[in-house]
PDB file of all heavy atoms in Angstrom:
ATOM      1  N   LYS O   1       7.807  -0.589  -6.411  1.00 90.00           N
ATOM      2  CA  LYS O   1       6.852  -1.043  -5.295  1.00 90.00           C
ATOM      3  C   LYS O   1       6.241  -2.395  -5.575  1.00 90.00           C
ATOM      4  O   LYS O   1       6.148  -3.273  -4.707  1.00 90.00           O
ATOM      5  CB  LYS O   1       5.731  -0.005  -5.153  1.00 90.00           C
ATOM      6  CG  LYS O   1       6.168   1.289  -4.433  1.00 90.00           C
ATOM      7  CD  LYS O   1       4.993   2.004  -3.808  1.00 90.00           C
ATOM      8  CE  LYS O   1       5.465   3.053  -2.943  1.00 90.00           C
ATOM      9  NZ  LYS O   1       6.084   2.645  -1.742  1.00 90.00           N
ATOM     10  N   LEU O   2       5.815  -2.565  -6.766  1.00 88.00           N
ATOM     11  CA  LEU O   2       5.198  -3.808  -7.186  1.00 88.00           C
ATOM     12  C   LEU O   2       6.043  -5.012  -6.980  1.00 88.00           C
ATOM     13  O   LEU O   2       5.789  -6.001  -6.360  1.00 88.00           O
ATOM     14  CB  LEU O   2       4.614  -3.661  -8.576  1.00 88.00           C
ATOM     15  CG  LEU O   2       3.916  -4.818  -9.188  1.00 88.00           C
ATOM     16  CD1 LEU O   2       2.596  -4.947  -8.540  1.00 88.00           C
ATOM     17  CD2 LEU O   2       3.741  -4.643 -10.696  1.00 88.00           C
ATOM     18  N   THR O   3       7.227  -4.839  -7.660  1.00 92.00           N
ATOM     19  CA  THR O   3       8.235  -6.008  -7.650  1.00 92.00           C
ATOM     20  C   THR O   3       8.846  -6.223  -6.377  1.00 92.00           C
ATOM     21  O   THR O   3       9.234  -7.343  -5.951  1.00 92.00           O
ATOM     22  CB  THR O   3       9.161  -5.849  -8.823  1.00 92.00           C
ATOM     23  OG1 THR O   3       8.462  -5.615  -9.938  1.00 92.00           O
ATOM     24  CG2 THR O   3       9.943  -7.133  -9.076  1.00 92.00           C
ATOM     25  N   GLY O   4       9.124  -5.211  -5.668  1.00 95.00           N
ATOM     26  CA  GLY O   4       9.768  -5.377  -4.320  1.00 95.00           C
ATOM     27  C   GLY O   4       8.933  -6.243  -3.407  1.00 95.00           C
ATOM     28  O   GLY O   4       9.527  -7.097  -2.694  1.00 95.00           O
ATOM     29  N   GLN O   5       7.640  -6.126  -3.434  1.00 94.00           N
ATOM     30  CA  GLN O   5       6.789  -7.046  -2.686  1.00 94.00           C
ATOM     31  C   GLN O   5       6.884  -8.442  -3.146  1.00 94.00           C
ATOM     32  O   GLN O   5       6.850  -9.444  -2.286  1.00 94.00           O
ATOM     33  CB  GLN O   5       5.278  -6.557  -2.766  1.00 94.00           C
ATOM     34  CG  GLN O   5       5.141  -5.175  -2.050  1.00 94.00           C
ATOM     35  CD  GLN O   5       5.650  -5.221  -0.652  1.00 94.00           C
ATOM     36  OE1 GLN O   5       5.259  -6.068   0.192  1.00 94.00           O
ATOM     37  NE2 GLN O   5       6.412  -4.241  -0.303  1.00 94.00           N
ATOM     38  N   HIS O   6       7.065  -8.674  -4.410  1.00 95.00           N
ATOM     39  CA  HIS O   6       7.141 -10.122  -4.934  1.00 95.00           C
ATOM     40  C   HIS O   6       8.487 -10.694  -4.410  1.00 95.00           C
ATOM     41  O   HIS O   6       8.568 -11.802  -3.977  1.00 95.00           O
ATOM     42  CB  HIS O   6       7.211 -10.161  -6.504  1.00 95.00           C
ATOM     43  CG  HIS O   6       5.981  -9.574  -7.127  1.00 95.00           C
ATOM     44  ND1 HIS O   6       4.640  -9.702  -6.502  1.00 95.00           N
ATOM     45  CD2 HIS O   6       5.700  -8.898  -8.238  1.00 95.00           C
ATOM     46  CE1 HIS O   6       3.722  -9.167  -7.327  1.00 95.00           C
ATOM     47  NE2 HIS O   6       4.354  -8.595  -8.391  1.00 95.00           N
ATOM     48  N   VAL O   7       9.577  -9.903  -4.542  1.00 97.00           N
ATOM     49  CA  VAL O   7      10.882 -10.442  -4.112  1.00 97.00           C
ATOM     50  C   VAL O   7      10.872 -10.661  -2.611  1.00 97.00           C
ATOM     51  O   VAL O   7      11.372 -11.728  -2.098  1.00 97.00           O
ATOM     52  CB  VAL O   7      12.016  -9.487  -4.505  1.00 97.00           C
ATOM     53  CG1 VAL O   7      13.428 -10.007  -3.977  1.00 97.00           C
ATOM     54  CG2 VAL O   7      12.081  -9.339  -6.049  1.00 97.00           C
ATOM     55  N   LEU O   8      10.246  -9.860  -1.825  1.00 97.00           N
ATOM     56  CA  LEU O   8      10.178  -9.876  -0.430  1.00 97.00           C
ATOM     57  C   LEU O   8       9.422 -11.184  -0.031  1.00 97.00           C
ATOM     58  O   LEU O   8       9.804 -11.945   0.848  1.00 97.00           O
ATOM     59  CB  LEU O   8       9.494  -8.717   0.263  1.00 97.00           C
ATOM     60  CG  LEU O   8       9.457  -8.639   1.707  1.00 97.00           C
ATOM     61  CD1 LEU O   8      10.857  -8.662   2.284  1.00 97.00           C
ATOM     62  CD2 LEU O   8       8.737  -7.352   2.157  1.00 97.00           C
ATOM     63  N   ALA O   9       8.227 -11.423  -0.749  1.00 97.00           N
ATOM     64  CA  ALA O   9       7.502 -12.668  -0.461  1.00 97.00           C
ATOM     65  C   ALA O   9       8.325 -13.841  -0.815  1.00 97.00           C
ATOM     66  O   ALA O   9       8.202 -14.867  -0.041  1.00 97.00           O
ATOM     67  CB  ALA O   9       6.215 -12.630  -1.322  1.00 97.00           C
ATOM     68  N   ALA O  10       9.118 -13.876  -1.966  1.00 97.00           N
ATOM     69  CA  ALA O  10       9.884 -15.065  -2.310  1.00 97.00           C
ATOM     70  C   ALA O  10      10.959 -15.266  -1.195  1.00 97.00           C
ATOM     71  O   ALA O  10      11.113 -16.410  -0.714  1.00 97.00           O
ATOM     72  CB  ALA O  10      10.555 -14.843  -3.607  1.00 97.00           C
ATOM     73  N   LYS O  11      11.539 -14.285  -0.679  1.00 97.00           N
ATOM     74  CA  LYS O  11      12.563 -14.387   0.372  1.00 97.00           C
ATOM     75  C   LYS O  11      11.871 -14.915   1.661  1.00 97.00           C
ATOM     76  O   LYS O  11      12.394 -15.843   2.306  1.00 97.00           O
ATOM     77  CB  LYS O  11      13.251 -13.047   0.633  1.00 97.00           C
ATOM     78  CG  LYS O  11      14.354 -13.125   1.673  1.00 97.00           C
ATOM     79  CD  LYS O  11      15.133 -11.827   1.730  1.00 97.00           C
ATOM     80  CE  LYS O  11      16.289 -12.068   2.640  1.00 97.00           C
ATOM     81  NZ  LYS O  11      17.473 -11.394   2.123  1.00 97.00           N
ATOM     82  N   ALA O  12      10.767 -14.412   1.987  1.00 97.00           N
ATOM     83  CA  ALA O  12      10.042 -14.855   3.213  1.00 97.00           C
ATOM     84  C   ALA O  12       9.649 -16.290   3.120  1.00 97.00           C
ATOM     85  O   ALA O  12       9.609 -17.027   4.060  1.00 97.00           O
ATOM     86  CB  ALA O  12       8.837 -13.946   3.492  1.00 97.00           C
ATOM     87  N   GLY O  13       9.383 -16.777   1.884  1.00 97.00           N
ATOM     88  CA  GLY O  13       9.068 -18.157   1.561  1.00 97.00           C
ATOM     89  C   GLY O  13      10.256 -19.064   1.660  1.00 97.00           C
ATOM     90  O   GLY O  13      10.049 -20.268   1.550  1.00 97.00           O
ATOM     91  N   GLY O  14      11.406 -18.555   1.760  1.00 97.00           N
ATOM     92  CA  GLY O  14      12.593 -19.429   1.804  1.00 97.00           C
ATOM     93  C   GLY O  14      13.416 -19.558   0.528  1.00 97.00           C
ATOM     94  O   GLY O  14      14.312 -20.343   0.577  1.00 97.00           O
ATOM     95  N   ALA O  15      13.170 -18.767  -0.450  1.00 97.00           N
ATOM     96  CA  ALA O  15      13.971 -18.865  -1.627  1.00 97.00           C
ATOM     97  C   ALA O  15      15.274 -18.246  -1.455  1.00 97.00           C
ATOM     98  O   ALA O  15      15.550 -17.297  -0.830  1.00 97.00           O
ATOM     99  CB  ALA O  15      13.258 -18.091  -2.822  1.00 97.00           C
ATOM    100  N   THR O  16      16.273 -18.906  -2.057  1.00 95.00           N
ATOM    101  CA  THR O  16      17.623 -18.422  -2.143  1.00 95.00           C
ATOM    102  C   THR O  16      18.039 -17.779  -3.495  1.00 95.00           C
ATOM    103  O   THR O  16      18.998 -17.102  -3.677  1.00 95.00           O
ATOM    104  CB  THR O  16      18.739 -19.384  -1.849  1.00 95.00           C
ATOM    105  OG1 THR O  16      18.551 -20.591  -2.627  1.00 95.00           O
ATOM    106  CG2 THR O  16      18.658 -19.992  -0.349  1.00 95.00           C
ATOM    107  N   ALA O  17      17.080 -18.034  -4.441  1.00 97.00           N
ATOM    108  CA  ALA O  17      17.250 -17.396  -5.779  1.00 97.00           C
ATOM    109  C   ALA O  17      15.874 -17.388  -6.462  1.00 97.00           C
ATOM    110  O   ALA O  17      15.021 -18.145  -6.099  1.00 97.00           O
ATOM    111  CB  ALA O  17      18.246 -18.184  -6.616  1.00 97.00           C
ATOM    112  N   MET O  18      15.698 -16.556  -7.357  1.00 98.00           N
ATOM    113  CA  MET O  18      14.412 -16.500  -8.199  1.00 98.00           C
ATOM    114  C   MET O  18      14.859 -16.865  -9.606  1.00 98.00           C
ATOM    115  O   MET O  18      15.955 -16.711 -10.014  1.00 98.00           O
ATOM    116  CB  MET O  18      13.808 -15.119  -8.222  1.00 98.00           C
ATOM    117  CG  MET O  18      13.275 -14.744  -6.896  1.00 98.00           C
ATOM    118  SD  MET O  18      12.475 -13.103  -6.822  1.00 98.00           S
ATOM    119  CE  MET O  18      10.905 -13.459  -7.519  1.00 98.00           C
ATOM    120  N   VAL O  19      13.828 -17.463 -10.300  1.00 98.00           N
ATOM    121  CA  VAL O  19      14.082 -17.844 -11.760  1.00 98.00           C
ATOM    122  C   VAL O  19      12.913 -17.371 -12.544  1.00 98.00           C
ATOM    123  O   VAL O  19      11.747 -17.448 -12.127  1.00 98.00           O
ATOM    124  CB  VAL O  19      14.255 -19.364 -11.935  1.00 98.00           C
ATOM    125  CG1 VAL O  19      13.137 -20.147 -11.459  1.00 98.00           C
ATOM    126  CG2 VAL O  19      14.693 -19.742 -13.373  1.00 98.00           C
ATOM    127  N   THR O  20      13.148 -16.738 -13.719  1.00 97.00           N
ATOM    128  CA  THR O  20      12.069 -16.265 -14.637  1.00 97.00           C
ATOM    129  C   THR O  20      12.411 -16.696 -16.042  1.00 97.00           C
ATOM    130  O   THR O  20      13.599 -16.542 -16.462  1.00 97.00           O
ATOM    131  CB  THR O  20      11.841 -14.822 -14.424  1.00 97.00           C
ATOM    132  OG1 THR O  20      10.779 -14.414 -15.212  1.00 97.00           O
ATOM    133  CG2 THR O  20      13.018 -13.964 -14.684  1.00 97.00           C
ATOM    134  N   PRO O  21      11.438 -16.971 -16.834  1.00 95.00           N
ATOM    135  CA  PRO O  21      11.665 -17.129 -18.240  1.00 95.00           C
ATOM    136  C   PRO O  21      11.583 -15.820 -19.032  1.00 95.00           C
ATOM    137  O   PRO O  21      11.986 -15.761 -20.292  1.00 95.00           O
ATOM    138  CB  PRO O  21      10.558 -18.068 -18.739  1.00 95.00           C
ATOM    139  CG  PRO O  21       9.434 -17.715 -17.809  1.00 95.00           C
ATOM    140  CD  PRO O  21      10.064 -17.382 -16.439  1.00 95.00           C
ATOM    141  N   CYS O  22      11.110 -14.800 -18.414  1.00 93.00           N
ATOM    142  CA  CYS O  22      10.890 -13.454 -19.130  1.00 93.00           C
ATOM    143  C   CYS O  22      12.073 -12.537 -18.954  1.00 93.00           C
ATOM    144  O   CYS O  22      12.473 -12.200 -17.889  1.00 93.00           O
ATOM    145  CB  CYS O  22       9.664 -12.885 -18.551  1.00 93.00           C
ATOM    146  SG  CYS O  22       9.244 -11.292 -19.223  1.00 93.00           S
ATOM    147  N   PRO O  23      12.575 -12.111 -20.078  1.00 93.00           N
ATOM    148  CA  PRO O  23      13.733 -11.158 -19.979  1.00 93.00           C
ATOM    149  C   PRO O  23      13.333  -9.805 -19.404  1.00 93.00           C
ATOM    150  O   PRO O  23      14.102  -9.112 -18.817  1.00 93.00           O
ATOM    151  CB  PRO O  23      14.224 -10.987 -21.496  1.00 93.00           C
ATOM    152  CG  PRO O  23      13.066 -11.542 -22.227  1.00 93.00           C
ATOM    153  CD  PRO O  23      12.303 -12.523 -21.461  1.00 93.00           C
ATOM    154  N   LEU O  24      12.120  -9.393 -19.544  1.00 93.00           N
ATOM    155  CA  LEU O  24      11.658  -8.192 -19.058  1.00 93.00           C
ATOM    156  C   LEU O  24      11.582  -8.294 -17.530  1.00 93.00           C
ATOM    157  O   LEU O  24      12.055  -7.359 -16.837  1.00 93.00           O
ATOM    158  CB  LEU O  24      10.264  -7.731 -19.569  1.00 93.00           C
ATOM    159  CG  LEU O  24      10.116  -7.689 -21.134  1.00 93.00           C
ATOM    160  CD1 LEU O  24       8.682  -7.374 -21.554  1.00 93.00           C
ATOM    161  CD2 LEU O  24      11.146  -6.768 -21.711  1.00 93.00           C
ATOM    162  N   CYS O  25      11.008  -9.371 -16.952  1.00 94.00           N
ATOM    163  CA  CYS O  25      10.927  -9.647 -15.619  1.00 94.00           C
ATOM    164  C   CYS O  25      12.337  -9.745 -14.982  1.00 94.00           C
ATOM    165  O   CYS O  25      12.610  -9.135 -13.877  1.00 94.00           O
ATOM    166  CB  CYS O  25      10.204 -10.848 -15.304  1.00 94.00           C
ATOM    167  SG  CYS O  25       8.404 -10.816 -15.633  1.00 94.00           S
ATOM    168  N   HIS O  26      13.234 -10.425 -15.682  1.00 95.00           N
ATOM    169  CA  HIS O  26      14.622 -10.522 -15.185  1.00 95.00           C
ATOM    170  C   HIS O  26      15.211  -9.130 -15.040  1.00 95.00           C
ATOM    171  O   HIS O  26      15.885  -8.800 -13.989  1.00 95.00           O
ATOM    172  CB  HIS O  26      15.447 -11.394 -16.080  1.00 95.00           C
ATOM    173  CG  HIS O  26      16.784 -11.668 -15.531  1.00 95.00           C
ATOM    174  ND1 HIS O  26      17.862 -10.720 -15.867  1.00 95.00           N
ATOM    175  CD2 HIS O  26      17.274 -12.596 -14.797  1.00 95.00           C
ATOM    176  CE1 HIS O  26      18.933 -11.224 -15.199  1.00 95.00           C
ATOM    177  NE2 HIS O  26      18.596 -12.296 -14.548  1.00 95.00           N
ATOM    178  N   THR O  27      15.066  -8.282 -16.028  1.00 94.00           N
ATOM    179  CA  THR O  27      15.580  -6.947 -15.898  1.00 94.00           C
ATOM    180  C   THR O  27      15.062  -6.184 -14.648  1.00 94.00           C
ATOM    181  O   THR O  27      15.858  -5.619 -13.945  1.00 94.00           O
ATOM    182  CB  THR O  27      15.197  -6.132 -17.225  1.00 94.00           C
ATOM    183  OG1 THR O  27      15.795  -6.788 -18.303  1.00 94.00           O
ATOM    184  CG2 THR O  27      15.673  -4.717 -17.121  1.00 94.00           C
ATOM    185  N   VAL O  28      13.839  -6.291 -14.434  1.00 94.00           N
ATOM    186  CA  VAL O  28      13.267  -5.507 -13.242  1.00 94.00           C
ATOM    187  C   VAL O  28      13.681  -6.226 -11.921  1.00 94.00           C
ATOM    188  O   VAL O  28      14.134  -5.577 -10.984  1.00 94.00           O
ATOM    189  CB  VAL O  28      11.712  -5.386 -13.341  1.00 94.00           C
ATOM    190  CG1 VAL O  28      11.156  -4.858 -12.105  1.00 94.00           C
ATOM    191  CG2 VAL O  28      11.326  -4.580 -14.571  1.00 94.00           C
ATOM    192  N   LEU O  29      13.521  -7.550 -11.891  1.00 96.00           N
ATOM    193  CA  LEU O  29      13.791  -8.186 -10.597  1.00 96.00           C
ATOM    194  C   LEU O  29      15.319  -8.066 -10.188  1.00 96.00           C
ATOM    195  O   LEU O  29      15.603  -7.961  -9.048  1.00 96.00           O
ATOM    196  CB  LEU O  29      13.502  -9.723 -10.760  1.00 96.00           C
ATOM    197  CG  LEU O  29      12.057 -10.070 -10.767  1.00 96.00           C
ATOM    198  CD1 LEU O  29      11.884 -11.542 -11.288  1.00 96.00           C
ATOM    199  CD2 LEU O  29      11.324  -9.883  -9.527  1.00 96.00           C
ATOM    200  N   ASP O  30      16.192  -8.068 -11.199  1.00 96.00           N
ATOM    201  CA  ASP O  30      17.561  -7.896 -10.958  1.00 96.00           C
ATOM    202  C   ASP O  30      18.101  -6.448 -10.786  1.00 96.00           C
ATOM    203  O   ASP O  30      18.664  -6.095  -9.768  1.00 96.00           O
ATOM    204  CB  ASP O  30      18.417  -8.676 -11.968  1.00 96.00           C
ATOM    205  CG  ASP O  30      19.850  -8.661 -11.712  1.00 96.00           C
ATOM    206  OD1 ASP O  30      20.308  -9.072 -10.575  1.00 96.00           O
ATOM    207  OD2 ASP O  30      20.612  -8.369 -12.643  1.00 96.00           O
ATOM    208  N   SER O  31      17.703  -5.710 -11.761  1.00 94.00           N
ATOM    209  CA  SER O  31      18.223  -4.337 -11.845  1.00 94.00           C
ATOM    210  C   SER O  31      17.748  -3.356 -10.775  1.00 94.00           C
ATOM    211  O   SER O  31      18.391  -2.485 -10.376  1.00 94.00           O
ATOM    212  CB  SER O  31      18.001  -3.734 -13.260  1.00 94.00           C
ATOM    213  OG  SER O  31      18.617  -4.502 -14.201  1.00 94.00           O
ATOM    214  N   PHE O  32      16.528  -3.505 -10.445  1.00 95.00           N
ATOM    215  CA  PHE O  32      15.877  -2.529  -9.541  1.00 95.00           C
ATOM    216  C   PHE O  32      15.999  -2.923  -8.002  1.00 95.00           C
ATOM    217  O   PHE O  32      15.429  -2.298  -7.173  1.00 95.00           O
ATOM    218  CB  PHE O  32      14.458  -2.355  -9.863  1.00 95.00           C
ATOM    219  CG  PHE O  32      14.159  -1.491 -11.137  1.00 95.00           C
ATOM    220  CD1 PHE O  32      13.340  -1.937 -12.088  1.00 95.00           C
ATOM    221  CD2 PHE O  32      14.795  -0.172 -11.229  1.00 95.00           C
ATOM    222  CE1 PHE O  32      13.200  -1.139 -13.305  1.00 95.00           C
ATOM    223  CE2 PHE O  32      14.641   0.539 -12.442  1.00 95.00           C
ATOM    224  CZ  PHE O  32      13.854  -0.029 -13.420  1.00 95.00           C
ATOM    225  N   GLN O  33      16.664  -3.951  -7.790  1.00 96.00           N
ATOM    226  CA  GLN O  33      16.737  -4.386  -6.344  1.00 96.00           C
ATOM    227  C   GLN O  33      17.271  -3.347  -5.282  1.00 96.00           C
ATOM    228  O   GLN O  33      16.708  -3.198  -4.227  1.00 96.00           O
ATOM    229  CB  GLN O  33      17.452  -5.724  -6.130  1.00 96.00           C
ATOM    230  CG  GLN O  33      16.477  -6.881  -6.226  1.00 96.00           C
ATOM    231  CD  GLN O  33      17.089  -8.210  -5.737  1.00 96.00           C
ATOM    232  OE1 GLN O  33      17.596  -8.270  -4.588  1.00 96.00           O
ATOM    233  NE2 GLN O  33      17.083  -9.209  -6.572  1.00 96.00           N
ATOM    234  N   PRO O  34      18.202  -2.593  -5.741  1.00 96.00           N
ATOM    235  CA  PRO O  34      18.667  -1.473  -4.731  1.00 96.00           C
ATOM    236  C   PRO O  34      17.538  -0.547  -4.400  1.00 96.00           C
ATOM    237  O   PRO O  34      17.370  -0.190  -3.213  1.00 96.00           O
ATOM    238  CB  PRO O  34      19.932  -0.883  -5.450  1.00 96.00           C
ATOM    239  CG  PRO O  34      20.385  -1.896  -6.336  1.00 96.00           C
ATOM    240  CD  PRO O  34      19.233  -2.684  -6.853  1.00 96.00           C
ATOM    241  N   GLU O  35      16.795  -0.213  -5.414  1.00 96.00           N
ATOM    242  CA  GLU O  35      15.733   0.790  -5.179  1.00 96.00           C
ATOM    243  C   GLU O  35      14.556   0.063  -4.401  1.00 96.00           C
ATOM    244  O   GLU O  35      13.872   0.753  -3.575  1.00 96.00           O
ATOM    245  CB  GLU O  35      15.138   1.260  -6.497  1.00 96.00           C
ATOM    246  CG  GLU O  35      16.106   2.166  -7.295  1.00 96.00           C
ATOM    247  CD  GLU O  35      17.103   1.446  -8.109  1.00 96.00           C
ATOM    248  OE1 GLU O  35      17.179   0.141  -8.076  1.00 96.00           O
ATOM    249  OE2 GLU O  35      17.914   2.164  -8.844  1.00 96.00           O
ATOM    250  N   MET O  36      14.311  -1.194  -4.684  1.00 96.00           N
ATOM    251  CA  MET O  36      13.312  -1.923  -3.876  1.00 96.00           C
ATOM    252  C   MET O  36      13.679  -2.031  -2.432  1.00 96.00           C
ATOM    253  O   MET O  36      12.876  -1.841  -1.540  1.00 96.00           O
ATOM    254  CB  MET O  36      13.161  -3.367  -4.409  1.00 96.00           C
ATOM    255  CG  MET O  36      12.692  -3.607  -5.748  1.00 96.00           C
ATOM    256  SD  MET O  36      12.766  -5.351  -6.205  1.00 96.00           S
ATOM    257  CE  MET O  36      12.911  -5.303  -7.989  1.00 96.00           C
ATOM    258  N   GLU O  37      14.969  -2.282  -2.170  1.00 97.00           N
ATOM    259  CA  GLU O  37      15.424  -2.307  -0.770  1.00 97.00           C
ATOM    260  C   GLU O  37      15.251  -0.924  -0.090  1.00 97.00           C
ATOM    261  O   GLU O  37      14.806  -1.024   1.018  1.00 97.00           O
ATOM    262  CB  GLU O  37      16.904  -2.703  -0.770  1.00 97.00           C
ATOM    263  CG  GLU O  37      17.128  -4.106  -1.117  1.00 97.00           C
ATOM    264  CD  GLU O  37      18.602  -4.539  -1.334  1.00 97.00           C
ATOM    265  OE1 GLU O  37      19.482  -3.645  -1.327  1.00 97.00           O
ATOM    266  OE2 GLU O  37      18.869  -5.740  -1.353  1.00 97.00           O
ATOM    267  N   LYS O  38      15.456   0.113  -0.739  1.00 97.00           N
ATOM    268  CA  LYS O  38      15.200   1.473  -0.154  1.00 97.00           C
ATOM    269  C   LYS O  38      13.752   1.619   0.127  1.00 97.00           C
ATOM    270  O   LYS O  38      13.370   2.119   1.136  1.00 97.00           O
ATOM    271  CB  LYS O  38      15.713   2.578  -1.032  1.00 97.00           C
ATOM    272  CG  LYS O  38      17.254   2.666  -1.113  1.00 97.00           C
ATOM    273  CD  LYS O  38      17.713   3.758  -2.052  1.00 97.00           C
ATOM    274  CE  LYS O  38      19.274   3.719  -2.303  1.00 97.00           C
ATOM    275  NZ  LYS O  38      19.643   4.345  -3.412  1.00 97.00           N
ATOM    276  N   ASP O  39      12.874   1.188  -0.844  1.00 95.00           N
ATOM    277  CA  ASP O  39      11.466   1.390  -0.736  1.00 95.00           C
ATOM    278  C   ASP O  39      10.933   0.570   0.442  1.00 95.00           C
ATOM    279  O   ASP O  39      10.042   1.104   1.154  1.00 95.00           O
ATOM    280  CB  ASP O  39      10.782   0.894  -2.017  1.00 95.00           C
ATOM    281  CG  ASP O  39       9.305   1.215  -1.993  1.00 95.00           C
ATOM    282  OD1 ASP O  39       8.923   2.384  -1.829  1.00 95.00           O
ATOM    283  OD2 ASP O  39       8.517   0.138  -2.077  1.00 95.00           O
ATOM    284  N   ILE O  40      11.421  -0.613   0.678  1.00 95.00           N
ATOM    285  CA  ILE O  40      10.742  -1.463   1.746  1.00 95.00           C
ATOM    286  C   ILE O  40      11.723  -1.398   2.964  1.00 95.00           C
ATOM    287  O   ILE O  40      11.266  -2.066   4.008  1.00 95.00           O
ATOM    288  CB  ILE O  40      10.487  -2.914   1.335  1.00 95.00           C
ATOM    289  CG1 ILE O  40      11.881  -3.631   0.912  1.00 95.00           C
ATOM    290  CG2 ILE O  40       9.600  -3.037   0.189  1.00 95.00           C
ATOM    291  CD1 ILE O  40      11.799  -5.080   0.630  1.00 95.00           C
ATOM    292  N   ASP O  41      12.797  -0.689   2.865  1.00 96.00           N
ATOM    293  CA  ASP O  41      13.725  -0.508   4.005  1.00 96.00           C
ATOM    294  C   ASP O  41      14.137  -1.877   4.542  1.00 96.00           C
ATOM    295  O   ASP O  41      14.090  -2.197   5.782  1.00 96.00           O
ATOM    296  CB  ASP O  41      13.076   0.277   5.093  1.00 96.00           C
ATOM    297  CG  ASP O  41      14.083   0.806   6.134  1.00 96.00           C
ATOM    298  OD1 ASP O  41      15.242   1.003   5.728  1.00 96.00           O
ATOM    299  OD2 ASP O  41      13.697   0.841   7.329  1.00 96.00           O
TER     300      ASP O  41
END
């Protein structure tokens, strides 16, 4: 729920990609996207 909103905001802002220096953030932002998409439909 938390990260889905961040990715959605980045997309709405016009981003074609996200970049992070944190390996933990990378794991969540990349790995959980299918679940995020289901959550926000």
Side-chain angles (χ1 to χ4, degrees):
K1 283 202 170 294
L2 184 67
T3 311
Q5 293 305 310
H6 302 325
V7 178
L8 186 59
K11 185 172 183 139
T16 53
M18 293 180 81
V19 62
T20 183
C22 177
L24 306 178
C25 292
H26 184 271
T27 298
V28 173
L29 290 166
D30 185 46
S31 300
F32 287 128
Q33 269 194 55
E35 291 85 355
M36 291 175 209
E37 291 174 343
K38 287 177 190 163
D39 183 62
I40 62 173
D41 196 31

